[in-house]
Amino acid sequence: MKMLAIAGLNLRRLFRYRPNVFFVIIGPLLFLLVLGMLFGGSQPVRIGVVDGGGPLAERLTDALAEDDRVELTRFDDHAELQTELERGLLNAGVVIPDDYDQVVGDGEQAAVRYLARADDPLAADLGVWVRSVIPQEAALLRAAQFGAQEHGAPVDQHLRAAESAAATMPGIEVAVTTTGEAQIPEGLSQFAPMAPSLLLLFVFFTSLMAALGLVEARRLGVITRMTATPTPIRTLVAGEALGRFAVALTQGLIVLLGSALLFGVDWGDPIGAAAVLVLFCLVGSGAAMLLGALFRNEGAAMGVGMGLGLGLAALGGTMLPLELLSDQVQTIAKATPHAWGYEAYSELVRHGGTVTDILPQLGALAGFAAVLFTLGAWQLQRSLTR
């Protein structure tokens, strides 16, 4: 019972500090919402168009808006469009010259300008769309002009005929095949790729930051007074260890259940997901005990904890996907528990793997947990008996 009381005290101490309600509960889910909306791939792309006002320019503008993902806004002048683009309110812009109808009607080539910011990744996709629409429109215009030259009827009439003919033609079917295994399978929730990374990041970081309470208790002599009671040292160590694990598990469950209930993230095989979570929480709680036992003041412990929490998370692929890193960096990342947790959750969440598919990752996490938990408990016991 004393062990459970000590563990419960650690958990209450975490939420007694009011800002932790935000950082532990709201923060991870808010991060997931923002990252999913920004990089999840289902957000619309915004394009602005300045057209010359003629019917042919209007046709081209309508063709640019045919894709369901494209949100098209019309502008009266180039300067207004460029201002919106620089403010980040547009992903790209298209400027159709005022004499577009006249130039194209004369059978000459008109210059259509495409504007985009170099740091906008969605602009590249939008550029591919614009460069596919304009040649299609140009092909219809050439066919209409050829018909007008041969038969003498107005270009508009032949343009409608060319459109009708194009609609009845069988066309060319393009089959896209991904070689190997797709990193992000089609149909995956826009929040699913980010949720495991945030779980690993926040479990480890929150565990280390919560260890500041252990440092404070030792500095204020609370632990020393507890040793003066009839409570055995092993009970104190077990209670602190259980408390560190409860903190880590609480953080992990908030991200796991919150992302599933609020954003529909499917974590795959429940046994596999639970096994990864438990082992990673043991890793985090072991590191927290070690940190709390080694340092005597909160300032130094906070600096080291923040450095380790963010540094290992970045190296382990929870800030930038491991797949985007070089082979050398991926090899180095295997020295962090985050990389093994990332690989395990990637297999479960993205590829429908089961617990048997992630046995190597579970073995590595169990090794990290055994080493850190043993070292943490040993060092904590030493600090209590000195």
Side-chain angles (χ1 to χ4, degrees):
M1 291 299 293
K2 288 184 178 178
M3 184 177 67
L4 294 176
I6 295 171
L9 176 64
N10 280 294
L11 199 55
R12 290 196 299 275
R13 186 186 294 158
L14 174 68
F15 291 106
R16 190 175 298 162
Y17 184 57
R18 297 299 180 192
N20 281 345
V21 175
F22 175 82
F23 290 114
V24 175
I25 300 176
I26 302 174
L29 300 178
L30 187 60
F31 266 108
L32 181 57
L33 173 64
V34 173
L35 293 176
M37 295 295 291
L38 287 176
F39 304 108
S42 63
Q43 67 273 28
V45 286
R46 301 177 299 274
I47 187 171
V49 176
V50 177
D51 64 47
L56 295 180
E58 185 70 20
R59 276 179 50 87
L60 179 57
T61 303
D62 292 341
L64 290 171
E66 286 183 354
D67 191 310
D68 293 337
R69 285 187 59 204
V70 174
E71 286 185 0
L72 189 143
T73 305
R74 299 171 188 268
F75 291 86
D76 294 330
D77 59 70
H78 179 193
E80 186 182 1
L81 182 147
Q82 186 164 342
T83 300
E84 295 292 293
L85 186 62
E86 291 172 349
R87 289 175 177 173
L89 301 177
L90 295 173
N91 298 112
V94 172
V95 179
I96 303 174
D98 293 340
D99 58 351
Y100 175 83
D101 278 46
Q102 180 181 350
V103 172
V104 172
D106 293 340
E108 298 179 1
Q109 187 173 24
V112 176
R113 296 184 61 193
Y114 178 73
L115 308 175
R117 298 191 313 277
D119 59 348
D120 189 342
L122 294 178
D125 293 338
L126 203 47
V128 173
W129 168 245
V130 172
R131 284 190 289 273
S132 69
V133 169
I134 291 178
Q136 292 177 28
E137 185 68 13
L140 290 175
L141 289 172
R142 282 196 297 269
Q145 287 165 351
F146 177 78
Q149 291 172 0
E150 293 295 319
H151 302 287
V155 173
D156 293 346
Q157 180 179 338
H158 288 286
L159 190 55
R160 289 192 292 272
E163 283 181 320
S164 301
T168 58
M169 292 179 66
I172 301 173
E173 183 179 353
V174 179
V176 179
T177 303
T178 301
T179 59
E181 192 173 46
Q183 297 297 337
I184 307 294
E186 189 175 353
L188 192 70
S189 163
Q190 66 188 99
F191 302 102
M194 292 83 176
S197 297
L198 289 176
L199 183 148
L200 299 171
L201 169 64
F202 276 92
V203 164
F204 198 77
F205 190 76
T206 300
S207 298
L208 295 185
M209 291 299 101
L212 299 181
L214 177 58
V215 178
E216 182 184 32
R218 291 176 56 232
R219 180 176 60 81
L220 296 177
V222 175
I223 301 294
T224 302
R225 289 195 291 273
M226 291 174 68
T227 59
T229 67
T231 306
I233 294 296
R234 62 176 180 277
T235 302
L236 294 177
V237 173
E240 283 293 336
L242 187 59
R244 299 299 122 204
F245 179 75
V247 168
L249 187 62
T250 299
Q251 179 65 91
L253 287 175
I254 287 172
V255 178
L256 191 146
L257 297 179
S259 62
L261 295 175
L262 296 178
F263 305 110
V265 174
D266 184 357
W267 289 82
D269 181 10
I271 298 176
V276 178
L277 176 62
V278 169
L279 288 174
F280 197 78
C281 287
L282 288 173
V283 172
S285 52
M289 276 196 298
L290 196 57
L291 183 73
L294 287 176
F295 289 88
R296 292 181 176 275
N297 69 79
E298 297 91 319
M302 177 180 288
V304 173
M306 291 184 70
L308 287 175
L310 298 178
L312 293 178
L315 183 60
T318 63
M319 295 183 182
L320 187 65
L322 274 180
E323 297 83 1
L324 300 182
L325 304 179
S326 66
D327 293 340
Q328 292 81 2
V329 176
Q330 289 189 37
T331 302
I332 297 173
K334 292 296 182 63
T336 70
H338 300 69
W340 294 98
Y342 178 90
E343 285 189 354
Y345 274 131
S346 295
E347 182 64 28
L348 295 173
V349 175
R350 300 183 193 177
H351 308 301
T354 63
V355 67
T356 56
D357 296 320
I358 58 170
L359 287 179
Q361 290 82 6
L362 293 178
L365 287 175
F368 276 108
V371 171
L372 287 173
F373 214 81
T374 303
L375 280 177
W378 172 68
Q379 189 61 36
L380 181 59
Q381 185 171 4
R382 281 192 62 200
S383 68
L384 295 179
T385 55
R386 281 194 297 220

